[in-house]
Structures are given as C-alpha cells and as structure tokens.
Amino acid sequence: MGLKLFNTLSHSVQDFTPLDPAGKKVGMYCCGPTVYDFAHIGNWRTFVFADLVRRYLEFKGYAVTHVMNITDVEDKIIKGVRESKTTLHDFTGKYEAAFLEDLKTLNCTLPQQMPHATENIPEIIALIEKLVARGIAYKAADGSVYFSIGKYRDNGSTYGRLLKLNFDELRVGERVASDEYDKESLADFALWKARVPEDGTVFWPSPWGEGRPGWHIECSAMSMKALGESFDLHLGGEDLKFPHHEDEIAQSEGATAKPFVKYWMHGAFLLVEGKKMSKSLGNFFTLRDLLAKGFTGREVRYLLLTAHYRETFNFTLEGLQGARTALARIDECLGKLREIAGRDALPRVQADRLDNPARLVDDFTSALDEDLNISAAWGVVFKWITGTNKRMAENSLSAHEAAAALAAWDKIDSFLGIGAPAEIEAPAEIVALLEARQTARKAKDFKKSDALRDELKAEGWAIEDTPKGPKLKRI
Ligand code: AMP
Ligand code: ZN
C-alpha cells in the first residue's frame, strides 16, 4: 500500500509521491540542533520522529538522502559565546559532540549530510545577493539586509501558507532583527545582520559589510545546496512553522521562482507533566539527565516512538518506567521465540515466505502508511505478542513459525530501531556468587544454592538456566 502523510502545506493527508520521475529518490531535510546547549527530550522527540520517517521511507524502498544541518551561528549562540568568553568554535563544538553522542545513544541513523552554517557562508551570501537582485531584499541604514514581505507579495507570491496567515488581521511591523519573533510582529526579517560590538569575533565579510547570517537564510541555503532548488520533504518541530519555515519558503521561492518543498511535516511538542519544559519549573530533561537516572537510550527511544507524531506528547518519569515494562514484555516474547526457533537450529527465514498467522508486518505497515499512525501500529505488536505468548504457552508453536515470527519482528525493527537490550556484564562479585551456587548445586547442597540465588536476587540479578548453562540477567 502507498504511504500517506499529512502535509502542513496543503493542510491535508496526501499520497506521498516523490518528485523523482522514477519515483525512487527522496530528498529530506530536517532542521537540526542549535548547538548552544545539550539537546532536551523535546528536541529528541523531533529528531527521533525524523529518524522514523527516514527509516520508514527506506523500508518502503526509497533511496533517501537525509540532510540535517547544524545551526552553529545564530542569536542564542552569539550570546553563549559572549557569556562563556570562549570562541564560537569551542562553544558550539562541545554541544555538537554531545548531540552526536546522544544521536547514537538513541540509535538514530546518521544523516548522510550534516552541513554547518559557518561552513556555508559563501552560499548564504550568494542566496541573499539573488534576493537583492530580484528586489525582494534590501539593505537598511544599519548595514543589515532584510527580506521584504511587501515586495515578495507584490510579485504575486503568498507569504504564510503553512499557517494560513490572514494579512487583513495582522499588524505588520516595520522590520525585525532577531531570529525569533511571533505572529503579532510579522515583519521584514533579517537575512544578513550587520556586525555589532556584542558579536565579538563572530563576523564575516560580505558585499554589505561585516556581519553574520540570520538563522532562517541558513536553512534555505544549506537545504537547496544539498538537495536542489525543489525537494521532497522538510521536517521540524511545530514551533518552526512560523517564522522559520515560512521564511525559508519565502527566501527560497523568492530567489528561485520554483516550488521549494513538496511535503512539510511537523512534529507536535513534547510537554513534561502537561507543561512546557523550562529550567525554572524544574521539569527540564536532557537525554543525559535520564541516563543519569538509570534509563537507557533504548527505553527513551521506545517511549518517544509510542505516540503519533502529530499529537502532543506528555512526558513523565512514570511513562518512562512504563516504557521499560513494555520493552521487557517484548524482549521476553522474543527471547522465548529465539529459544524455540533455535531448537532445530533453523536458519533465519524470510517472514513472507512462511505462513505468519499474526500478519505482523502487513498490519504494522498498514497502520504506518496512514500518516505514520504508530499508536495503532503498537496495538498490532501487543496483540501479536499476546497471541504468540498464548501459542508458546500451549506448546503449539513450531520452530519454523518461531523463526518466521522473529524474521517479521526484525523487519519492523529495521525502521523502529528498538534493537536488543544491551548485555549488561555482571560485576566480578556477582559472577562469584553464581559460581558458588553452581558448586553448591553440584554438591547437591540445595539449601545453600537457594540461599545464594536469593542473595543474587537481592543484588538485582536473576539466574536463567539455559541449555548452555546458567546465565545472569538484570532484574
Ligand atoms: P533547536 O535546537 O531549538 O533549534 O530545536 C531543534 C528541534 O527541536 C526543532 O525541530 C524544534 O522544533 C524541536 N523542538 C524544540 N522543543 C521541542 C519540544 N518541546 N517538543 C518537540 N520538539 C521540540
Ligand atoms: Zn531550519
């Protein structure tokens, strides 16, 4: 079945058909992190969502070029550089390294291209020059260059298609210099910001004098350089619809007179305990905060993948605990399946070559094809687990069927990216307790062996007797 996606541009669910005449290649750009702090759990909701989109498109057979920029110069970064008294490179480098590490912890596929704004200054300047040449951008008295919404609209273009802005109701302001502003101050926005003393050493030469780019133009320049003037998919969190994405469309289409992006996808926000995350409310979590609490990247990824991307997600620590329990249920079922499948030492078989009564792959992907309805898709998984557990309890599942079930799981996990739990190595003193228990068992001292098992349990370790001997498992 074909994939349908909600397109913010058309405000409707549409069939996904890439621009490539062969219907094979897909260009996808996701606004990347602004590297002025550690990415928080809300940011990660958006990046895990982008990872799902990319992996699912690949699963559907598309050759995806996934581009995610690193915003390494904008207002908040300049402020951070000034306050920390470091260089731009040192300041952003630290947070970028942390971001890449977190991306790995969450098992996100690395985008094929991760352009940096600071490495694309000539491209950004060239794009602004085009806009100036077309009369849509102008240099103001302070030496900054602004995008003229009025001129853009006079040329017959529509500004504000993602939000359906009604200009009759808007108080259009003069111009706005900062990267972030709200709808009420809709105004000509800065493409190039003339150097001011607060910028310190962060500036580049340009035809309009020394300065630095505005945030919005960075994404237009980098996305078109990587994917061409028109490309398929552009993603980001819902807060980026305005002004960032509206501005990206205006700058790009203003310069090329071609449609910029075919499908826009926006992920809804993550709230914590129903509130916007903020440091002052004490409800602000980075991924690192959660790891420090003993959770794993796998658990966080799973939790972030449980809700539909267009629904606001309420994050709680109890919810994360619930994710751990749900994953344990999946892992237990898969573990038992592996045991049954391994009995006849069967090679892994293709799920679709064997009868798969639960139709896991078909049902799961049918749900995802409907605008990535992942909540419905998880319903399919848990129904499958209940059915499979029942069959295993009845001893009616053959090794063949177990292998087919595992192959089906592997297929859906190719885009879920949940993977297997990391083997946690037991510390030496725990291994010593296990060995002592084995010795006691051999000597038929069951009282002692039971006591040792209880001691291990108290330390948080269970013993699993497998055909290859006893194994330690974290409880
Ligand atoms: P930033 O690093 O601030 O540029 O944000 C990176 C990405 O995270 C953007 O796509 C934002 O839209 C997204 N984002 C920021 N806050 C949240 C949140 N609370 N929930 C979901 N996405 C968010
Ligand atoms: Zn962007």
Side-chain angles (χ1 to χ4, degrees):
M1 211 176 84
L3 173 63
K4 292 192 177 76
L5 297 173
F6 183 86
N7 186 356
T8 318
L9 192 64
S10 67
H11 307 271
S12 63
V13 175
Q14 289 181 307
D15 287 331
F16 177 73
T17 324
L19 295 167
D20 174 21
K24 182 97 184 122
K25 289 191 210 147
V26 171
M28 163 177 159
Y29 184 90
C30 178
C31 290
T34 305
V35 279
Y36 73 105
D37 203 346
F38 296 104
H40 59 62
I41 190 73
N43 300 135
W44 286 115
R45 178 180 198 204
T46 295
F47 296 126
V48 168
F49 151 62
D51 184 56
L52 174 71
V53 173
R54 181 238 173 113
R55 284 176 183 250
Y56 194 56
L57 287 169
E58 285 177 342
F59 174 79
K60 301 287 284 183
Y62 295 111
V64 183
T65 304
H66 177 193
V67 181
M68 179 168 70
N69 71 297
I70 302 285
T71 301
D72 59 353
V73 56
E74 58 78 81
D75 295 349
K76 294 192 289 288
I77 293 178
I78 302 266
K79 188 167 172 263
V81 172
R82 198 170 55 237
E83 285 169 1
S84 62
K85 298 190 170 62
T86 45
T87 63
L88 180 70
H89 191 261
D90 286 351
F91 180 75
T92 58
K94 172 180 157 193
Y95 295 115
E96 181 180 337
F99 177 80
L100 295 177
E101 213 178 287
D102 290 358
L103 203 64
K104 213 162 151 196
T105 305
L106 287 170
N107 198 22
C108 289
T109 316
L110 212 59
Q112 287 95 338
Q113 293 186 42
M114 299 182 82
H116 292 71
T118 54
E119 287 164 9
N120 285 278
I121 301 292
E123 287 78 1
I124 294 169
I125 290 177
L127 188 57
I128 301 174
E129 279 183 312
K130 260 192 192 173
L131 290 166
V132 173
R134 291 183 135 238
I136 308 172
Y138 60 93
K139 185 176 170 181
D142 68 342
S144 297
V145 180
Y146 287 88
F147 183 92
S148 165
I149 293 185
K151 289 274 165 46
Y152 180 65
R153 294 181 73 217
D154 289 348
N155 284 355
S157 305
T158 309
Y159 181 88
R161 275 181 289 159
L162 299 173
L163 284 194
K164 286 191 185 167
L165 290 177
N166 182 351
F167 275 80
D168 297 336
E169 289 172 5
L170 284 170
R171 191 173 38 82
V172 180
E174 266 285 275
R175 59 178 71 115
V176 54
S178 73
D179 287 329
E180 290 178 55
Y181 51 91
D182 58 26
K183 242 180 9 201
E184 281 58 50
S185 47
L186 177 69
D188 290 0
F189 56 89
L191 300 170
W192 186 261
K193 303 184 185 201
R195 182 182 171 192
V196 289
E198 297 83 69
D199 289 345
T201 53
V202 184
F203 63 89
W204 289 265
S206 85
W208 314 282
E210 287 168 342
R212 62 184 172 96
W215 170 38
H216 314 299
I217 196 77
E218 296 175 6
C219 276
S220 283
M222 289 186 278
S223 62
M224 291 198 290
K225 180 181 173 190
L227 298 169
E229 291 178 342
S230 300
F231 59 91
D232 300 293
L233 258 176
H234 197 312
L235 279 74
E238 61 182 350
D239 59 321
L240 298 191
K241 283 183 204 167
F242 181 87
H244 188 54
H245 289 163
E246 296 287 10
D247 290 353
E248 270 191 55
I249 296 174
Q251 297 158 154
S252 309
E253 299 193 355
T256 68
K258 289 183 193 151
F260 176 42
V261 169
K262 189 166 178 191
Y263 302 93
W264 286 87
M265 293 181 81
H266 291 99
F269 251 37
L270 173 144
L271 302 178
V272 174
E273 312 277 357
K275 294 196 185 78
K276 198 174 166 190
M277 227 186 306
S278 90
K279 285 189 177 150
S280 59
L281 284 177
N283 66 353
F284 187 95
F285 293 109
T286 63
L287 177 64
R288 281 137 200 267
D289 294 333
L290 299 175
L291 300 182
K293 287 185 186 297
F295 292 102
T296 63
R298 183 173 182 253
E299 287 160 351
V300 175
R301 179 178 176 97
Y302 170 79
L303 180 68
L304 294 176
L305 282 176
T306 51
H308 189 266
Y309 76 95
R310 281 201 289 131
E311 271 166 26
T312 304
F313 182 71
N314 192 25
F315 176 87
T316 59
L317 288 174
E318 294 79 59
L320 193 49
Q321 198 64 48
R324 175 174 285 178
T325 311
L327 270 179
R329 199 167 156 225
I330 296 173
D331 291 340
E332 196 186 348
C333 177
L334 295 175
K336 282 197 226 145
L337 281 171
R338 272 185 213 107
E339 226 175 87
I340 296 174
R343 271 182 206 155
D344 293 353
L346 270 182
R348 280 288 173 92
V349 277
Q350 286 291 315
D352 46 13
R353 281 180 41 215
L354 284 168
D355 178 35
N356 181 16
R359 301 181 2 107
L360 177 68
V361 179
D362 284 356
D363 292 351
F364 197 97
T365 54
S366 298
L368 279 199
D369 281 346
E370 291 297 327
D371 189 29
L372 303 178
N373 188 350
I374 201 153
S375 6
W378 281 115
V380 170
V381 168
F382 285 103
K383 200 168 138 208
W384 175 79
I385 287 183
T386 307
T388 307
N389 281 342
K390 193 162 164 253
R391 294 276 313 275
M392 290 193 289
E394 290 165 359
N395 254 333
S396 70
L397 199 84
S398 71
H400 247 78
E401 283 175 309
L406 285 169
W409 171 262
D410 283 352
K411 259 191 168 181
I412 64 166
D413 198 42
S414 71
F415 51 84
L416 287 174
I418 298 295
E423 291 274 335
I424 305 171
E425 253 184 59
E429 61 273 20
I430 298 294
V431 176
L433 283 175
L434 177 71
E435 281 164 4
R437 180 200 176 238
Q438 287 312 97
T439 313
R441 281 187 89 183
K442 268 195 199 133
K444 299 207 175 339
D445 185 350
F446 295 116
K447 208 170 155 201
K448 186 168 177 196
S449 103
D450 284 354
L452 284 162
R453 191 194 54 212
D454 291 346
E455 202 176 324
L456 278 166
K457 198 173 165 193
E459 296 289 336
W461 293 88
I463 302 168
E464 221 176 41
D465 286 309
T466 75
K468 287 187 193 145
K471 267 177 71 180
L472 282 164
K473 211 177 115 186
R474 200 94 178 98
I475 304 171

